[in-house]
Amino acid sequence: SLLLCGQIDRVDAAFLDGKVYLRILDYKSRELSLALDSIYYGLNLQLLTYLDVALQGAEVLLNTTSALPSLQNSPENVVSEGSLEVFPQKTPAGFLYFPVLEPQLTEQIPLSPDELEQHRVKAVKVHGYLLANPRVLEAMDSSFSTGQSDLLGLKLVKDGKLKKDSNVLTEDQFSLLSDYLHHWFKQTGEEILDGDISLSPYRRGKSTGCQYC
């Protein structure tokens, strides 16, 4: 068997339309980007793994977290099937790197407290992938009701759809990522257990696994 250990910084949950949506936040001391090809090649699986684990353990997480109402005491959060109570469908809402740093502002004129907060939000750059569901995105940032979220870096165009270059995925695409993650861990774990310790550092553009060796 293969045992993975880690610590999730933050899990956010929202109950919408009979589903529970989970989002992962990982705090960083600097800005980090995340590209899908780095997931494909197994170079950055942290956030996707955290999201997968949180979804698998959602019943435990949400019934033992004091910050959320107990499902047993919140009938609206429980789906009933006959005489049985069923946990709501667990759905990925996304994963993000969130930089924990004081944003540097370049304004040369005094700002009101409200303007200062708006500029600070714009200066924070989060990176990752979120669910392409406007209602879920609005639950993450209420300002998205206007069609744009500076915090999430997302904007709706005239036809009501998200801009083409938005870092969003559909539920089906999140499901494909989850399936690929399980395949990657199974294949890589079997190679490790078979004794494969061959040196094969990656090269991605000018970046390599031996860059700081």
Side-chain angles (χ1 to χ4, degrees):
S1 62
L2 185 65
L3 178 63
L4 301 175
C5 298
Q7 181 171 316
I8 302 173
D9 287 340
R10 174 170 165 174
V11 182
D12 291 328
F15 294 94
L16 298 169
D17 303 322
K19 296 181 179 181
V20 56
Y21 293 89
L22 297 183
R23 180 187 67 179
I24 297 296
L25 287 184
D26 192 65
Y27 296 119
K28 296 296 182 184
S29 59
R30 59 189 176 92
E31 288 186 7
L32 285 180
S33 60
L34 178 62
L36 289 178
D37 63 344
S38 67
I39 293 177
Y40 178 81
Y41 290 109
L43 302 176
N44 197 337
L45 301 176
Q46 180 190 24
L47 294 186
L48 181 58
T49 302
Y50 285 170
L51 179 61
D52 192 75
V53 169
L55 288 167
Q56 290 186 46
E59 290 91 338
V60 176
L61 282 173
L62 300 184
N63 276 319
T64 58
T65 304
S66 59
L68 290 167
S70 169
L71 291 178
Q72 294 179 350
N73 297 327
S74 302
E76 69 275 11
N77 294 332
V78 179
V79 179
S80 297
E81 290 187 0
S83 61
L84 298 177
E85 290 186 344
V86 182
F87 194 85
Q89 178 183 333
K90 299 169 289 184
T91 306
F95 45 77
L96 293 172
Y97 284 129
F98 198 107
V100 183
L101 46 84
E102 185 64 30
Q104 301 297 310
L105 305 182
T106 58
E107 280 66 27
Q108 302 296 320
I109 59 175
L111 299 174
S112 69
D114 288 342
E115 290 174 328
L116 178 60
E117 183 61 22
Q118 290 175 2
H119 284 265
R120 291 181 65 193
V121 169
K122 286 183 179 180
V124 174
K125 303 299 181 184
V126 298
H127 294 281
Y129 288 87
L130 298 172
L131 183 65
N133 181 324
R135 187 148 186 258
V136 174
L137 295 174
E138 188 176 338
M140 297 183 192
D141 181 4
S142 59
S143 68
F144 191 70
S145 61
T146 64
Q148 180 173 343
S149 168
D150 292 323
L151 177 62
L152 303 178
L154 298 174
K155 183 178 182 180
L156 295 175
V157 292
K158 291 182 179 180
D159 60 359
K161 297 181 180 179
L162 289 157
K163 291 178 63 178
K164 289 185 178 180
D165 59 349
S166 299
N167 280 9
V168 294
L169 300 170
T170 64
E171 287 189 33
D172 287 341
Q173 289 171 326
F174 270 111
S175 180
L176 287 173
L177 279 180
S178 177
D179 291 342
Y180 181 76
L181 178 73
H182 294 169
H183 167 77
W184 193 93
F185 277 133
K186 182 176 184 296
Q187 179 180 339
T188 305
E190 289 175 349
E191 292 174 356
I192 293 173
L193 294 175
D194 286 341
D196 184 356
I197 57 172
S198 57
L199 298 177
S200 56
Y202 76 89
R203 178 179 293 277
R204 184 167 176 255
K206 295 183 179 180
S207 176
T208 74
C210 296
Q211 192 168 358
Y212 300 105
C213 294

